[in-house]
Amino acid sequence: MTVSSVKSENGYNEPVGLVQAGSKSSMPPHLLAVLMLGVVSQLAQVLFLRELLMVFHGNELSIGLILAAWLVWVGVGSQLGAILIERSKRPLFLFSGSAVCILFVIPLTVFLLRILRGFYDLPRGSYFSLPDMVISCFLLMAPACLLLGAQFVLLSRIWRESNKAVDTSGAGKTYIGEAVGNMLGGLLFTFVLVHYFNAFQTAVLAAFVMLGAAFSMNSKVFLSGAGRHKLHLMLLLTLMVFAIAVYPLLENLDQQAYRMQWRLYSPQHELIDTYQSKHGTIAVLKLEDQHSFFQSGRLVFSTAGPEAEFAGMEEQEAVEFAHFSMVQHKDPGRVLLIGGGLRGVLAEIIKHPVKVVDYVELDEVLTRAATPYVSEDTLAALSDPRVNLIHADGRLFLKTAQEKYDLIVVDAPDPTTAVLNRYYTREFFAEAEALLNHDGVLVSGVISTPDLRGRAVANRNAAIYHSMDQVFSRVLSAGEHYLYYFATNSPGQVSLNPSILAERYSERDIETEGFTGRHYHVLLEDSQLRRINWVIRNHGRSSDAHLAGPAAVPLFPPSVEEQLSKEKELPPVREHYFINTDFKPIGYFYTLMFWDDLTRRDREETFGWLLHVKPWWVLFLSIPPLFTVFFLRVNKGLYKNLAPVAFAILFAVFTTGFSTMALQIALLFSFQSIYGFVYEMVGLIVALFMCGLALGAYLASRYVKDKANIKTLAFIQLGIALLAVCIALILPVTAALQSPEVIFVLFSALTFGAGLINGVDFPLSAACYMTLKGQPEKAAGTVYGVELFGAFFGAALASVIVVPVLGITACAFLAAIANGTAFVLFFICGRLDSLCLKKRYSQSE
């Protein structure tokens, strides 16, 4: 295809068609560099994501912020690259210089992320606030992202010049190659690097790969065949030196960085060791004779250890939890324990006359790491013939278990993350209820405050109660600093009567140090039980309950049994804010509010204002662009006929990035709600998305003849909107399936489809915009930057606001509205603009 051009007012030759000239059958010398850009970008992104997730204690709100910071800086970097290439005209030199910088920037960024807490004056044990997370992500990730974003434009220019083209075909091919590299990087990390390399080793290896690609490209340009062979031999020797000498040094650096990280987090603790697991980095810390176990920066449990002279407070809490739970059933023969066994709960459970205890512990690595430090009673319990230790995800175990249980005890940490929130949702309670015998009992609990003082803790604990109450016919609550939930469908099973529970305990002839039947009378003080149950049953029924907090407790509240009998007379529960589900994890959001209020009283509340968000606010995403296009259409004489089309193209690019990232966040959270972990699988998830992206961009570049067709671009927006609606409808159905394998296949198909349609959009948008504006690198950089800017907004809004407050499926509907608006904009532009576009830029032989 030949290309003609017309002179613009500033004398620039504006291309009017697409070319595929100058291509060669041999592999282009820059293809390796493009692939390595994708590989290194993916490895750097996953490394930063994992490190920041640990620093932010596994808080998934940070996922969107991390991705948002990555996207916006890569977008700025692409604009910077477009400016540099227009001024320098030496893309290969600029690319080589940036590759050298990457060698230092990525490992340094990993180190700074490890010691991030040292830059803030945070109270011990407190979480990063939302502003702290935003500032941290945007400052520390900027250098690497700017370099990688600029490299995209530089390689686009190199590819265009290699093909002697004057259109955006170089950018389209670079886009495809980078996506393929992203896919390869994700697979490489998931199946190789995460198992055998630490973060610094992976970072340095990625940098060497990028540098090697730059040297290889320079050698093909400046050196003869013999010179290239010598350079390649030098590169091979360098990698061997890295493997022999640098690899062990980076292992030591990794451990030293971890020690600095934990010294900043808790100076009193000594870091004993760290372990890498697919569920997160495990750290073992010691304070005197107490050992604490953290996973992804979050405390899992603490134990006094075998050398301690007496049990610590943590084990005393485990003793109370176990014996308070076990007496809620008259004859608990078969027990399922989810979590908590290593902290001492399992050892106390088997003191009761149980026949079988299935103990489900998520992480085998955590069990191995904790075994040398747990008490002798716990070690004995683990080897008891009645105990079956099962390393599996608790939710997946419930889906596949065949046995029925008399008692299910859930000893999971508070829902400070979306992964943990899965053990406090209506869906989980329903799955547990299905595995219970007709008189079975479910026991769970969370941290609380006396009389549920505080809006956040009252909201969270009431949401858990109301979610459980929708599944079970009888739910009782007890506790002060720790709130227990006892649920059953059998009227005579669970009880808050201390005399009944003490009698059950004494009948079993149990001897436990630090616990007797008298403890039930202390734990179950009547007036406190009345107040707690009154608050938890009545809160969440008014229109502003989530904003105002619980109403004042009556001076003389009714008895618990009386409250239970009259509960049906109360107003209905506000389900949007007080039913915790897998796809609307409001309990997780309230827990973040509670923890922020508990540890950062000197700071203004950072989460409470998000509760004011309303679903109809999404209209603000549609109204301004619609008004803008109407205004440009009316003022044709002032803004020329092409102004509405240019705006519509860029808005379509923005919404594609916005929608794609919103869908990816929705899919990530959905994956966690089903499988329970994303720490290891994030590379594979991104690889699936990038595989679809690469294929979509390839299909558009190869088979769409008229890429600068506005109508084609418009219907792509409609396709994205329809796909988003399908994802919103399919996700809840997928999660309800019983087969994990079928769920994974469907989830993979949705992820691949989201990437596919996004990949189709980029080459068409770039071609349309370049046809209007000319200057291929500037047009490609603008389109790439606007797409990333839209993705930035999509990631931030989806993870921080939409998912926790409005729900996961709301992300998909938001994406549908965004691209549906883009589709409408193209038709508002009118047929006249399309005719003017064709008339101004007509093709000629």
Side-chain angles (χ1 to χ4, degrees):
M1 181 182 292
T2 59
V3 177
S4 62
S5 60
V6 296
K7 286 279 186 178
S8 65
E9 294 178 357
N10 60 5
Y12 183 82
N13 286 328
E14 296 180 326
V16 301
L18 299 170
V19 300
Q20 295 175 348
S23 60
K24 298 180 180 180
S25 59
S26 60
M27 186 180 76
H30 43 268
L31 179 58
L32 179 62
V34 172
L35 291 173
M36 290 307 101
L37 171 61
V39 170
V40 174
S41 295
Q42 190 55 55
L43 292 179
Q45 186 184 86
V46 174
L47 283 177
F48 295 166
L49 182 64
R50 286 164 60 98
E51 292 295 330
L52 283 168
L53 273 176
M54 183 171 177
V55 173
F56 298 149
H57 306 281
N59 180 0
E60 289 94 348
L61 284 184
S62 64
I63 292 179
L65 296 175
I66 296 164
L67 295 177
W70 177 277
L71 293 163
V72 74
W73 283 123
V74 171
V76 173
S78 70
Q79 296 297 307
L80 179 63
I83 295 172
L84 290 174
I85 201 63
E86 289 298 322
R87 295 182 178 181
S88 173
K89 308 296 184 183
R90 300 176 63 189
L92 184 56
F93 172 78
L94 293 173
F95 175 77
S96 302
S98 67
V100 173
C101 293
I102 286 290
L103 178 62
F104 300 97
V105 168
I106 296 181
L108 179 61
T109 302
V110 171
F111 180 78
L112 291 176
L113 293 176
R114 289 275 176 91
I115 63 171
L116 177 60
R117 197 175 182 91
F119 296 101
Y120 293 89
D121 183 21
L122 298 177
R124 179 186 172 189
S126 65
Y127 284 12
F128 280 77
S129 68
L130 197 57
D132 292 341
M133 287 192 286
V134 172
I135 294 170
S136 302
C137 294
F138 276 78
L139 286 182
L140 292 182
M141 294 173 63
C145 294
L146 288 172
L147 288 170
L148 294 170
Q151 286 182 351
F152 174 84
V153 178
L154 298 176
L155 288 172
S156 297
R157 175 63 172 266
I158 292 171
W159 202 318
R160 183 175 69 83
E161 291 181 344
S162 174
N163 286 349
K164 298 181 176 61
V166 290
D167 61 0
T168 59
S169 59
K173 293 174 182 176
T174 304
Y175 189 80
I176 297 171
E178 184 190 20
V180 173
N182 287 145
M183 178 187 67
L184 295 175
L187 295 174
L188 180 66
F189 181 84
T190 300
F191 295 108
V192 180
L193 298 179
V194 74
H195 300 288
Y196 303 106
F197 288 74
N198 64 43
F200 288 98
Q201 291 163 350
T202 301
V204 173
L205 178 63
F208 265 113
V209 165
M210 174 66 77
L211 199 58
F215 281 148
S216 177
M217 191 160 53
N218 276 278
S219 71
K220 291 183 179 181
V221 174
F222 297 110
L223 298 179
S224 61
R228 286 199 301 271
H229 291 312
K230 290 181 180 179
L231 180 61
H232 294 161
L233 180 61
M234 289 177 60
L235 288 174
L236 180 61
L237 292 174
T238 301
L239 289 175
M240 291 176 63
V241 170
F242 165 76
I244 296 172
V246 180
Y247 185 92
L249 294 177
L250 293 177
E251 180 68 34
N252 184 60
L253 176 61
D254 186 67
Q255 292 301 316
Q256 291 297 329
Y258 274 130
R259 289 190 177 90
M260 293 180 65
Q261 182 180 48
W262 286 106
R263 196 178 301 126
L264 292 168
Y265 179 74
S266 182
Q268 296 84 2
H269 283 81
E270 174 191 358
L271 179 65
I272 301 300
D273 208 345
T274 59
Y275 302 84
Q276 294 300 322
S277 163
K278 65 182 181 180
H279 303 292
T281 301
I282 297 169
V284 182
L285 283 83
K286 181 179 180 180
L287 177 62
E288 296 179 352
D289 58 0
Q290 179 199 63
H291 291 83
S292 299
F293 300 85
F294 290 78
Q295 191 163 44
S296 296
R298 185 185 64 253
L299 177 65
V300 181
F301 70 93
S302 296
T303 181
E307 75 280 6
E309 296 182 1
F310 55 88
M313 181 182 298
E314 293 78 13
E315 291 203 13
Q316 182 60 35
E317 292 174 351
V319 168
E320 291 182 1
F321 181 87
H323 295 302
F324 206 2
S325 301
M326 293 301 294
V327 295
Q328 292 300 326
H329 195 284
K330 296 177 182 179
D331 184 22
R334 191 175 189 92
V335 178
L336 172 62
L337 172 63
I338 299 178
L342 297 174
R343 78 179 182 113
V345 174
L346 178 64
E348 300 303 319
I349 286 178
I350 63 171
K351 292 180 180 179
H352 292 257
V354 297
K355 298 176 181 178
V356 175
V357 179
D358 288 338
Y359 168 38
V360 178
E361 183 61 59
L362 173 65
D363 199 342
E364 185 177 3
V365 178
L366 177 63
T367 303
R368 291 202 308 267
T371 299
Y373 307 106
V374 299
S375 66
E376 293 182 0
D377 287 345
T378 297
L379 290 176
L382 289 172
S383 60
D384 190 290
R386 294 172 295 171
V387 174
N388 299 316
L389 175 59
I390 303 166
H391 288 110
D393 177 79
R395 286 294 299 272
L396 292 181
F397 179 82
L398 290 184
K399 284 181 177 292
T400 57
Q402 302 297 320
E403 300 291 340
K404 293 278 188 175
Y405 296 94
D406 299 309
L407 184 66
I408 297 178
V409 180
V410 181
D411 189 17
D414 273 22
T416 53
T417 68
V419 171
L420 293 172
N421 186 71
R422 301 159 60 244
Y423 295 99
Y424 301 93
T425 63
R426 181 175 58 192
E427 292 86 348
F428 172 76
F429 299 142
E431 291 169 356
E433 193 269 344
L435 281 184
L436 287 170
N437 289 317
H438 69 280
D439 60 348
V441 175
L442 171 67
V443 179
S444 186
V446 288
I447 293 174
S448 188
T449 59
D451 296 341
L452 276 77
R453 294 171 193 158
R455 178 181 59 166
V457 69
N459 286 359
R460 193 274 306 274
N461 292 359
I464 294 174
Y465 169 80
H466 292 308
S467 302
M468 190 178 287
D469 189 55
Q470 287 196 343
V471 176
F472 293 92
S473 62
R474 181 177 174 85
V475 181
L476 300 177
S477 299
E480 188 172 18
H481 295 287
Y482 187 87
L483 187 66
Y484 292 89
Y485 298 93
F486 309 118
T488 185
N489 290 320
S490 177
Q493 200 66 273
V494 299
S495 175
L496 297 181
N497 187 319
S499 298
I500 294 176
L501 300 182
E503 182 180 355
R504 292 179 184 177
Y505 182 81
S506 62
E507 287 175 352
R508 298 172 188 178
D509 195 22
I510 298 170
E511 292 185 5
T512 298
E513 183 179 353
F515 192 90
T516 67
R518 292 188 296 273
H519 278 78
Y520 295 108
H521 293 273
V522 177
L523 295 171
L524 298 173
E525 197 275 321
D526 185 63
S527 61
Q528 194 265 348
L529 285 176
R530 291 172 180 243
R531 292 193 300 271
I532 287 294
N533 280 271
W534 191 93
V535 172
I536 209 164
R537 282 176 165 77
N538 286 270
H539 186 46
R541 299 180 185 274
S542 62
S543 60
D544 64 341
H546 61 293
L547 299 174
V553 182
L555 186 60
F556 299 104
S559 67
V560 175
E561 290 299 326
E562 188 177 354
Q563 291 181 39
L564 188 62
S565 64
K566 294 183 178 180
E567 187 171 2
K568 293 182 180 179
E569 301 174 9
L570 297 174
V573 176
R574 297 276 296 173
E575 293 200 8
H576 184 79
Y577 293 104
F578 287 94
I579 297 297
N580 190 36
T581 69
D582 287 342
F583 284 86
K584 192 175 291 182
I586 194 69
Y588 150 60
F589 183 77
Y590 288 146
T591 303
L592 294 179
M593 284 182 60
F594 170 49
W595 196 255
D596 191 57
D597 180 62
L598 193 65
T599 61
R600 307 292 294 275
R601 292 184 181 275
D602 58 322
R603 298 287 297 269
E604 184 179 355
E605 185 180 286
T606 54
F607 292 102
W609 66 271
L610 295 177
L611 290 174
H612 295 274
V613 173
K614 305 295 181 184
W616 60 266
W617 287 8
V618 70
L619 295 177
F620 288 110
L621 186 65
S622 300
I623 294 175
L626 291 171
F627 176 80
T628 300
V629 170
F630 271 118
F631 180 78
L632 294 175
R633 284 282 290 153
V634 171
N635 294 276
K636 288 183 180 179
L638 180 61
Y639 291 97
K640 300 182 182 180
N641 291 330
L642 296 175
V645 179
F647 178 84
I649 292 172
L650 290 181
F651 184 76
V653 172
F654 175 88
T655 57
T656 298
F658 179 94
S659 302
T660 302
M661 190 51 61
L663 291 175
Q664 197 168 3
I665 292 294
L667 290 167
L668 279 171
F669 272 80
S670 299
F671 188 87
Q672 291 217 131
S673 73
I674 298 169
Y675 285 93
F677 59 93
V678 73
Y679 192 78
E680 178 196 34
M681 300 298 290
V682 65
L684 179 59
I685 294 169
V686 174
L688 286 169
F689 179 83
M690 287 300 171
C691 180
L693 188 80
L695 180 61
Y698 171 78
L699 292 175
S701 299
R702 182 70 181 270
Y703 296 106
V704 179
K705 295 181 180 180
D706 185 8
K707 296 181 177 61
N709 189 304
I710 297 295
K711 287 187 177 180
T712 302
L713 186 60
F715 280 102
I716 291 295
Q717 310 312 307
L718 180 61
I720 297 175
L722 294 176
L723 175 66
V725 172
C726 290
I727 289 177
L729 298 176
I730 292 173
L731 280 180
V733 177
T734 302
L737 297 175
Q738 294 299 311
S739 171
E741 294 77 14
V742 174
I743 292 173
F744 184 78
V745 170
L746 289 175
F747 176 84
S748 300
L750 293 175
T751 304
F752 179 83
L756 179 72
I757 199 161
N758 180 69
V760 171
D761 189 84
F762 178 81
L764 305 184
S765 299
C768 289
Y769 194 72
M770 194 278 295
T771 305
L772 287 176
K773 300 295 184 180
Q775 299 177 297
E777 276 71 48
K778 187 173 182 179
T782 299
V783 170
Y784 189 61
V786 170
E787 182 184 49
L788 292 175
F789 194 59
F792 151 71
F793 273 102
L797 288 176
S799 64
V800 176
I801 299 177
V802 180
V803 167
V805 179
L806 302 178
I808 293 174
T809 54
C811 286
F813 284 119
L814 182 65
I817 292 172
N819 279 94
T821 302
F823 172 74
V824 173
L825 287 186
F826 281 115
F827 284 88
I828 294 176
C829 290
R831 186 180 175 213
L832 179 62
D833 288 337
S834 297
L835 291 175
C836 291
L837 179 64
K838 292 179 180 179
K839 183 177 179 180
R840 182 177 176 185
Y841 301 111
S842 59
Q843 294 182 1
S844 64
E845 295 295 329

